Amino acid sequence: MIGEDAKLRRAARIHTPAALGAEATRDVSAALNVLLADLFSLYLKTKNFHWHVSGPHFRDYHLLFDEQADQIFALTDPVAERVRKVGGATLHSIGHIGRLQRFADNDADYVSPLDMLAELREDNLQLAARMRETHGICNEHGDIVSASLLDGWIDEAETRAWFLFEATRQGDEPGR
Ligand SMILES: [Fe+2]
């Protein structure tokens, strides 16, 4: 058993200086950590679909999912480091991600390509909406740096949703 004193001493060793105040540290890092868990889970779902997609559009979808997975993964480090810069502690493990993530996993043996596109489209729209909420929390605390990073990340999520939507649109030419 670790005593309270020892716990506090250990917590102090990962403390980082932050200019925004204790409330900002608490609220902004909590919001960014949940977002980080969402990013890791969406990254893995996108990779899952990249690995398991099949059918006549295999090459297109396989490559699209890989591109999008890379883009999502590239956000994880800046989000985690932002948490540290505002004075918080970030995620430690896959288990920690599992406890915080809000996206449902998809462990199905087979998912049709159109269902993959639709599910990722919804998830990316949801991600953009959650990033907007996080943006609001950052603004409340005057954390303009996190807020401006989120601006670009929201645009990326909306771009992914757009690509996924256009890829599912059925041809509407006469006779199809
Ligand atoms: Fe690959």
Side-chain angles (χ1 to χ4, degrees):
M1 282 291 283
I2 307 174
E4 277 307 307
D5 275 7
K7 269 192 198 163
L8 286 173
R9 274 199 306 279
R10 284 189 183 186
R13 293 183 70 170
I14 60 150
H15 179 76
T16 47
L20 291 167
E23 279 185 17
T25 297
R26 185 195 59 209
D27 295 351
V28 172
S29 35
L32 288 178
N33 277 335
V34 178
L35 185 64
L36 183 58
D38 284 344
L39 289 169
F40 276 119
S41 68
L42 187 56
Y43 163 73
L44 195 55
K45 188 192 279 188
T46 308
K47 271 291 194 187
N48 166 25
F49 290 169
H50 162 75
W51 295 322
H52 295 107
V53 71
S54 61
H57 300 291
F58 171 79
R59 185 178 166 79
D60 276 354
Y61 297 164
H62 178 71
L63 296 178
L64 176 67
F65 295 154
D66 210 24
E67 231 172 73
Q68 297 202 343
D70 283 350
Q71 198 177 62
I72 294 164
F73 186 72
L75 302 187
T76 56
D77 197 51
V79 172
E81 292 190 353
R82 192 68 209 144
V83 174
R84 297 295 287 139
K85 289 178 210 174
V86 300
T90 191
L91 305 186
H92 296 285
S93 63
I94 296 285
H96 200 169
I97 292 168
R99 290 191 295 278
L100 294 184
Q101 74 176 72
R102 293 168 291 187
F103 289 121
D105 291 335
N106 188 334
D107 292 317
D109 288 334
Y110 174 77
V111 183
S112 78
L114 284 180
D115 285 347
M116 288 179 175
L117 291 162
E119 186 168 336
L120 292 179
R121 185 189 69 221
E122 281 313 304
D123 285 353
N124 278 284
L125 286 175
Q126 187 68 52
L127 181 70
R130 288 170 182 165
M131 283 176 167
R132 262 185 224 100
E133 283 169 23
T134 309
H135 190 279
I137 293 167
C138 297
N139 277 344
E140 275 170 35
H141 292 287
D143 182 6
I144 53 169
V145 176
S146 296
S148 71
L149 287 168
L150 283 158
D151 288 340
W153 298 339
I154 292 166
D155 182 53
E156 285 183 13
E158 288 175 343
T159 301
R160 286 191 298 275
W162 173 39
F163 272 62
L164 292 158
F165 170 74
E166 286 298 344
T168 54
R169 195 201 284 275
Q170 297 300 300
D172 54 4
E173 306 94 290
R176 277 189 80 176

